[in-house]
Amino acid sequence: MSETVTSNLPSAYDPKQTEAKWYDYWLKGEYFKAGSDQRKKPFTIVIPPPNVTGNLHIGHALNNTLQDILIRFKRMQGFDALWLPGMDHAGIATQARVEAKLREQGISRHDLGREKFLDVVWKWKEEYADNIARQWRKMGISVDYSRERFTLDEGLSVAVKEVFVRLYEKGLIYRGKYIINWDPVARTALSDIEVIYKEVKGALYHLKYPLKDGSGYIRVATTRPETMLGDTAVAVHPEDERYQHLIGKTVLLPITGREIPIIADEYVDPEFGSGAVKITPAHDPNDFEVGNRHKLPQILVMDETGKMNELAGKYQGMDRFDCRKQIVEDLKQSGHLIEIEEHVHSVGHSERSGAVVEPYLSTQWFVAMKPLAKRAIEVQKSGRGVRFVPERFEKIYLHWIENVRDWCISRQLWWGHRIPAWYCDSCGEMTVARDEPKACPKCQGTSLRQDEDVLDTWFSSALWPFSTLGWPQETEDLKRYYPTDVLVTGYDIIYFWVARMIFSALEFTNRIPFRDVLITGLVRDAEGRKMSKSLGNGVDPMDVIEKYGADAMRYMLSTGCTPGNDQRFRWERVEAARNFANKIWNASRFALMHLEGIKAEDLKLTGPFSTADQWIMHRLNETIAEVTRLLDRYDFGEAGRALYNFIWDEFCDWYIEFAKLPLYGEDEEAKRVTRSVLVYVLDQALRLLHPMMPFITEEIWQHLPVKGESITVADWPKADDSYANAEAVKEMQVLIEAIRAVRNIRAEMEVAPKHQVELLVRPDADVMPAFERNEAAIKRLCGVSHLTVDPALPRPEKTMTAVITGAELFLPLAGLVDVGQTIERLNAELKKLNAEVERVEKKLANPGFVNKAPAHVVEGERKKGEEYREKREKVLARLRELQG
């Protein structure tokens, strides 16, 4: 960049003209690439990998913005900052999208076969990965593309196989028949945390199960009569006196006539329904456990599509819910239905397809979680674990991991990491291995089939912090950048992802994967609703960028959040952020107008500082310390507000106004000092703002007479206590208060800006020097022709007055207004206000109105009355001043 100012900024800031240009510049300069200086201390973030299923949404924009703020902040602080990018193959989600696309063409994956189908999915992946990368660029995120990873990369696939084999060899991965969550639409198993529970209005069906000996029946209540075809017992509580005499007897299952026993088990809740429940081990997780305890048969009466199978007899081929209706009708006809009771209960739905989840007996692969969870709990409770921000989320994490169940990791899909297990067709031996075996180790047969299933997508994601850095190899990147420093993620995936990364890292690296977990909330719509396709209330971050620019979107999102809490998206907030960018732009244009031909070496912070110079340097120093402190504690919203207040309110609205006096004056030394302070403060403010608004800050910074290639790698500002000046702050506060007071009086009296007025000041002794030293600034900024400062000044008559800290201000009315006309106008206004006050008081005194009108209408009238009375007092005060 040039170290001499040779041109001014365009009259208006246009993000479209700058953003792509600077992103290309950063990439060409390799400013995002980590590892160039091994002397620097490393700081690492791995990106939560977005799914290659579609476009990034506004939640991604928030998450990416916060990470980018941190990485740019640390890079400027002198760290070897690595932000590692990547994407997730997202098993079920991606396969479902591709299959839906194929269905539109009348094709199924089975028509194509596994290999050709996977070719189609890889093409999909390339298209959407490219799209995500383009969106990353638009957002301005400073990731190290040279280290980009994908969960199905060769290196990550090696890590996945290594983890699977090691866990299997330790006995922590096993294969068995268990009740799992089954998605009959996607036709795959789901883990517990892929199931969303919703309150559903259903029914509780009370049925007669006749006793075999003909002595009567036992009353059974169920919400799922279609599964009764798989019943293998009726259970009662062992201490329930109502049924003591029936334990051990046999009932005849309605419709089928099959004999099943009455058993006693403490699982049964005597208070639910009749206190007797049907036991269906193949279709209910609790019944499965009861069945194991009592060695009951397991009868599966549905297939993987949710239709009744051959064991359902005459109902074979019926959809499960159609079967329910038919069975209820048949039970009614046979006299076995006692009553149907309305019943609201929690029903599991697939997070992926939305289908009602079916508890289903199936052979699946599982991770035994208790041993892994035990280590994670011990580390967390010892104080050596991950720090959650906010800390309340640690309890949520611990509660889940303390109550964890074994993890079903197999999925009946084609897209994903295929399970590294092979079966011998000759002897049935199963072999788990890192690489495909050439022969069966038991019989030496060569006819081997790999397991058809793939691993849950979270299995590979759980390894992300270390697999992306080269594990299981002991790479230089792994040694340097692991453990990572912070993970930024939403509270909705603490179970899905955060917990799994922690126990995986402890098991395979013996270290926590990250030191801090920063939990973000959701970005909701303006009404506080969760954004969704069904509501049509989603916001595309690319639309926001197109309309207002990336910096405005980033600033709005980062200042709208507090750790762990949701925020609402409002377009007016984006517009306000755009206005902030324009304010900075215009202030910078003013500065550059006075810097033509100036070189970096011409600017020195020496010489006589004015009160305004001393004040702005003091406030800059405080802002540097405050913003640095807030970013270090992840308080992005407060950091952004501190910058806004400093840049807009203090630098733009006040310092620049004071700077105009010397800059437009004849004193060359005063000009030099003002220029030096102006450039220094602007440079430092741009650096502080850069992590939040990288594009506009780079564009302006490149025009300043400062040394450096890019603000991206410029040094982060450091607080310098030598610029602390409490006296200058006090003096400037008096001046600002005085100027505001005079401007307010001029506005109230409708005095034209060009009209000069007289100002009389009666100061306390300690503030008198402030008025004397800054007479020229007060005159210019207040539109004052003559200033009198006298601590012994008698109170003048017929003046507008204002009391500020340490002084009284008087503006003679004769120089402000036509007193007669103003009194006439105020009297007319007073008459109107008196009428309004009288009208409201009569209305509120009327019981008919107060008792019958809606509460909000009555309250509205009360507020109007308060406002009218307040305005009336102000008018009366003005009249008293004008009339002496």
Side-chain angles (χ1 to χ4, degrees), residues 51-54 88-100 121 124 186 188 194 351-353 413 415 457:
N51 297 341
V52 287
T53 50
D88 196 311
H89 67 282
I92 296 176
T94 303
Q95 180 159 322
R97 293 287 298 276
V98 175
E99 287 197 78
V121 187
W124 169 284
T188 184
E194 290 172 303
E351 187 206 27
R352 301 301 182 185
S353 69
L413 304 169
W415 174 245
T457 189

Side-chain angles (χ1 to χ4, degrees), residues 594-870:
H594 296 277
L595 296 171
E596 191 71 31
I598 299 295
K599 297 179 181 178
E601 52 266 30
D602 296 333
L603 301 170
K604 296 181 177 65
L605 291 173
T606 58
F609 276 15
S610 68
T611 300
D613 294 335
Q614 292 169 333
W615 167 74
I616 200 67
M617 293 294 285
H618 175 101
R619 284 295 300 125
L620 172 66
N621 198 56
E622 288 185 326
T623 304
I624 290 169
E626 181 70 354
V627 170
T628 304
R629 181 184 70 84
L630 290 166
L631 290 182
D632 274 331
R633 55 183 280 186
Y634 310 124
D635 205 338
F636 305 101
E638 287 304 308
R641 280 184 280 279
L643 280 169
Y644 182 96
N645 292 338
F646 175 74
I647 294 172
W648 187 304
D649 296 341
E650 296 175 327
F651 180 67
C652 296
D653 281 357
W654 288 108
Y655 179 72
I656 284 180
E657 287 304 305
F658 274 82
K660 287 177 180 177
L661 200 66
L663 290 175
Y664 291 131
E666 302 299 324
D667 186 334
E668 291 302 319
E669 178 64 4
K671 280 186 184 180
R672 182 194 65 76
V673 173
T674 304
R675 284 195 196 106
S676 298
V677 173
L678 190 61
V679 171
Y680 180 78
V681 175
L682 182 55
D683 166 41
Q684 298 289 289
L686 291 172
R687 295 182 196 217
L688 292 173
L689 188 62
H690 175 71
M692 289 184 177
M693 303 178 83
F695 293 112
I696 191 171
T697 51
E698 182 75 89
E699 177 69 21
I700 296 168
W701 197 80
Q702 291 286 344
H703 284 78
L704 293 180
V706 291
K707 295 179 180 179
E709 292 180 11
S710 169
I711 195 171
T712 305
V713 288
D715 290 340
W716 182 257
K718 291 180 182 176
D720 184 347
D721 289 341
S722 68
Y723 292 117
N725 193 322
E727 283 304 310
V729 171
K730 183 180 177 183
E731 187 167 311
M732 195 67 177
Q733 285 171 343
V734 170
L735 294 174
I736 289 172
E737 206 176 333
I739 293 164
R740 278 187 177 140
V742 174
R743 286 176 172 177
N744 287 342
I745 291 172
R746 290 178 63 109
E748 284 176 29
M749 305 308 292
E750 299 178 1
V751 180
K754 64 181 179 181
H755 188 73
Q756 296 284 297
V757 298
E758 183 182 358
L759 175 61
L760 310 174
V761 181
R762 185 164 65 192
D764 293 346
D766 60 332
V767 303
M768 185 167 173
F771 290 95
E772 291 177 332
R773 278 196 290 263
N774 296 278
E775 180 178 351
I778 293 168
K779 283 183 172 180
R780 184 184 181 283
L781 297 176
C782 294
V784 169
S785 58
H786 182 72
L787 173 65
T788 300
V789 181
D790 183 355
L793 184 77
R795 179 185 177 90
E797 291 184 4
K798 293 196 176 181
T799 60
M800 296 294 288
T801 63
V803 179
I804 65 166
T805 305
E808 285 181 277
L809 311 180
F810 307 101
L811 278 78
L813 286 167
L816 289 173
V817 292
D818 183 318
V819 176
Q821 279 186 1
T822 304
I823 289 173
E824 190 178 327
R825 177 177 61 79
L826 289 172
N827 276 323
E829 192 175 341
L830 181 63
K831 188 177 178 182
K832 287 180 185 176
L833 288 168
N834 282 331
E836 289 296 338
V837 168
E838 186 180 353
R839 180 190 65 77
V840 170
E841 287 177 347
K842 278 183 181 177
K843 207 169 187 180
L844 293 172
N846 180 359
F849 170 73
V850 174
N851 296 329
K852 292 178 182 177
H856 72 275
V857 173
V858 176
E859 183 59 28
E861 286 298 316
R862 283 201 179 98
K863 283 184 179 175
K864 281 181 190 175
E866 289 170 10
E867 288 169 6
Y868 291 141
R869 281 188 286 270
E870 191 177 315

Side-chain angles (χ1 to χ4, degrees), residues 479-552:
K479 285 188 278 188
R480 180 163 178 76
Y481 298 109
Y482 184 83
T484 66
D485 288 272
V486 60
L487 174 79
V488 183
T489 191
Y491 58 65
D492 51 336
I493 56 172
I494 291 175
Y495 312 143
F496 278 105
W497 193 41
V498 177
R500 288 170 172 170
M501 283 190 287
I502 293 171
F503 68 67
S504 299
L506 289 170
E507 174 69 18
F508 295 103
T509 73
N510 206 32
R511 304 170 80 179
I512 55 174
F514 23 74
R515 293 179 179 86
D516 292 347
V517 178
L518 173 60
I519 301 295
T520 66
L522 304 177
V523 182
R524 297 182 177 271
D525 72 6
E527 296 174 33
R529 300 174 301 174
K530 189 172 180 179
M531 293 185 182
S532 67
K533 286 183 182 177
S534 59
L535 290 174
N537 62 344
V539 175
D540 185 342
M542 297 304 109
D543 290 344
V544 183
I545 292 170
E546 177 67 23
K547 192 170 182 182
Y548 291 105
D551 286 331

Side-chain angles (χ1 to χ4, degrees), residues 13-72:
Y13 176 57
D14 183 359
K16 293 175 185 174
Q17 298 298 317
T18 60
E19 292 181 350
K21 171 184 74 174
W22 289 121
Y23 202 83
D24 288 340
Y25 178 81
W26 295 330
L27 290 181
K28 188 178 178 181
E30 297 190 335
Y31 300 127
F32 305 160
K33 193 170 182 179
S36 60
D37 189 344
Q38 296 291 304
R39 295 168 300 178
K40 293 180 176 180
K41 184 179 178 182
F43 180 91
T44 316
I45 299 175
V46 290
I47 201 168
N51 297 341
V52 287
T53 50
N55 295 329
L56 299 179
H57 53 65
I58 199 71
H60 288 116
L62 169 64
N63 186 272
N64 289 340
T65 295
L66 299 187
Q67 292 173 84
D68 196 37
I69 290 170
L70 285 175
I71 212 75
R72 287 180 183 272

Side-chain angles (χ1 to χ4, degrees), residues 322-426:
D322 292 336
C323 178
R324 178 181 298 177
K325 292 175 187 174
Q326 188 58 54
I327 282 183
V328 170
E329 184 60 34
D330 291 349
L331 289 167
K332 192 185 294 182
Q333 295 300 322
S334 66
H336 290 99
L337 179 65
I338 300 170
E339 66 171 320
I340 302 174
E341 178 188 348
E342 283 190 6
H343 179 62
V344 176
H345 59 136
S346 187
V347 177
H349 291 71
S350 169
E351 187 206 27
R352 301 301 182 185
S353 69
V356 172
V357 168
E358 190 64 43
Y360 194 73
L361 184 66
S362 177
T363 301
Q364 300 286 344
W365 289 89
F366 295 84
V367 174
M369 287 300 304
K370 292 294 182 186
L372 297 169
K374 185 180 180 218
R375 172 96 184 274
I377 294 164
E378 287 171 354
V379 168
Q380 196 66 30
K381 289 189 172 179
S382 72
R384 294 176 290 115
V386 169
R387 183 173 76 104
F388 283 81
V389 182
E391 63 181 18
R392 69 178 183 272
F393 288 100
E394 181 180 22
K395 291 179 183 175
I396 294 171
Y397 159 71
L398 279 172
H399 180 265
W400 181 77
I401 207 163
E402 286 170 344
N403 296 278
V404 73
R405 299 193 341 181
D406 285 0
W407 175 14
C408 177
I409 55 170
S410 46
R411 297 289 181 271
Q412 289 62 54
L413 304 169
W414 289 350
W415 174 245
H417 294 277
R418 199 162 171 183
I419 289 173
W422 287 263
Y423 307 95
C424 177
D425 288 337
S426 302

